[in-house]
Amino acid sequence: IVIYFTRNMNRQYESDMTIYTGIISANGTDLSQDGKQDWNILKNSLLNVINTIGSKETMRVVSLKLFARTMINGDPERDNVYISSAHFRQLLDITPPAVKKLIDKTSEERTVENLKRYEKVDAKNFVYGLFNWNHPYFSYGALSKIDIKQIDNSDILHVYYENNDAGITYQTLNILSEVFADEYKTLQYSNTNNVIKYFEAELARIGKDLFMKEDSLTKFNVQNRVIHYDKQTEAVTILDKDYEIRKQDALSARNRAQVSIAQLESGIDANIKSIKNNAQFLAKMNDISDLNYSISQIESYRPDSLKTAVTNSVSTLQGLKSKLRNQERDFRNFIQEYSSQKYTKNGYPNANYVTQWVDELLKLDQAQADIKVVDDFKVELDKMYSHYSPIGSLLKRQERGINFTEQSYLSVLGGLNAARLRLKSLEMSAATLKVINPATYPLNSKPTKRKMLVMGTYFATLAFLLGCILVLELLDRTLRDKQRTDRVTKGNVIGAFPHKKMGRYSEQIKKMASKSLANQLF
């Protein structure tokens, strides 16, 4: 029976290939590391490659490509390097017509795309079931038998596979050698690319926030006329100090002029004193006061970044001073002409007294003009203090926000650069994944176990028969033969008659037995 049923016994064909990973040898090329070898990391990286090759997703791609290649190149009449004719006929018998229509004989890639579009998570879907059922060539159970091992402690992996079809065995490893590197790159790159996309999005978001904050600070500075806050506040403090000094000088000049005028007026007669009520006198004094005020305003101006520059130029200032000199000269002439007495009541020359009196009046007028300008400047200075006092805290708040955002921007930028370096390192590592010994088409099958099965069944059958005889002997309780009867009965057997009828020879046998018994008795 064994010989008969093993006459067409399946033969197993084996093929292998070796893959160079370069993970250990190329460890120094990882740009994101400091160059020190960490054997745990290297071992983990190598295990990642092994697990990627044997992963279910990789095997699914291999299954689809293997089925497409087999359906395109298989021949039901003769064997080839893709599949044997007998196995191809079996495959054609189980393949639905709808799936056969998906096969594009001119392009393996288009066939794979057609199969992917046709595949659905459904127990009745042939393409889905091809990988998830128990097909001997295309299922995950069959492909998971691919053996992947590291050779000693090297960078080289040995991939071994065996199946009952030489073409399927060869094509499976051939497709795996084409697929595994792409799957490894996709797996490794996808994580890094996702990280890079995250950092790029964060960088754009934080950069936009940083630009908005910087623009807001610029707009705030423009609105509040701030160029350099520390220097400007220091300038305001200096102006305040200058204001106090100038005010004291103006008050002192006014007091001195008032005292001098009082002394001079005490020596001038009533005719000269009455000039103070003269309309022309008052008009000229007002003109001189206005000119002194204007000149004092221009001279007290300090050009800086706190306020807009005054439109009066240097020529305007010189013009005002020239006009003031003319007005003072005219005023002096007016006083001299108005004065009719030659001597004062104390006997001093009237012209000298009037001249001194006019000079003091002019000094008093200039001092009062300076005081008015200083007071006006004090109002402006108070506005500056009120303006710049709250700006400091607002500026610091905005600068802290900009500094924090800038640090976040730099941190994300550093992470983005590290991720890009990691991507380059992965590209360099993936570039070293090469098949150094490709799979070969197996010409001879592995030795079968038919001889061992036949010899084993022969000895098993012999042992079975001997065992049955021994069991029957042990279980038999009849007398059966002369030796057994002598032993059981402790007597001598001298004759025996058959228990059953022996057909037409029964009478002759009985006579022969009787004669034998008689002879023994005689």
Side-chain angles (χ1 to χ4, degrees), residues 158-172:
H158 178 257
V159 183
Y160 171 84
Y161 183 55
E162 69 173 45
N163 204 293
N164 65 349
D165 191 290
I168 292 294
T169 303
Y170 168 67
Q171 294 299 333
T172 299

Side-chain angles (χ1 to χ4, degrees), residues 164-183:
N164 65 349
D165 191 290
I168 292 294
T169 303
Y170 168 67
Q171 294 299 333
T172 299
L173 291 186
N174 192 22
I175 293 173
L176 182 61
S177 66
E178 301 170 357
V179 169
F180 83 91
D182 294 335
E183 290 297 318

Side-chain angles (χ1 to χ4, degrees), residues 10 39 42 76 115 118 129 131 166 169 212 280 311 332 361 435:
N10 276 335
W39 289 103
L42 296 178
L115 293 174
Y118 180 82
F131 181 70
T169 303
M212 290 178 63
Q280 191 174 2
T311 58
R332 288 188 177 92
L361 278 178
V435 177

Side-chain angles (χ1 to χ4, degrees), residues 23 45-46 48-50 52-53 58 179-190 422 426 429-431 433:
I23 292 176
S45 300
L46 197 60
N48 287 339
V49 176
I50 295 174
T52 301
I53 296 174
T58 303
V179 169
F180 83 91
D182 294 335
E183 290 297 318
Y184 179 76
K185 291 177 183 178
T186 301
L187 181 64
Q188 295 294 322
Y189 291 177
S190 60
R422 175 62 179 166
L426 290 175
S429 300
L433 291 175

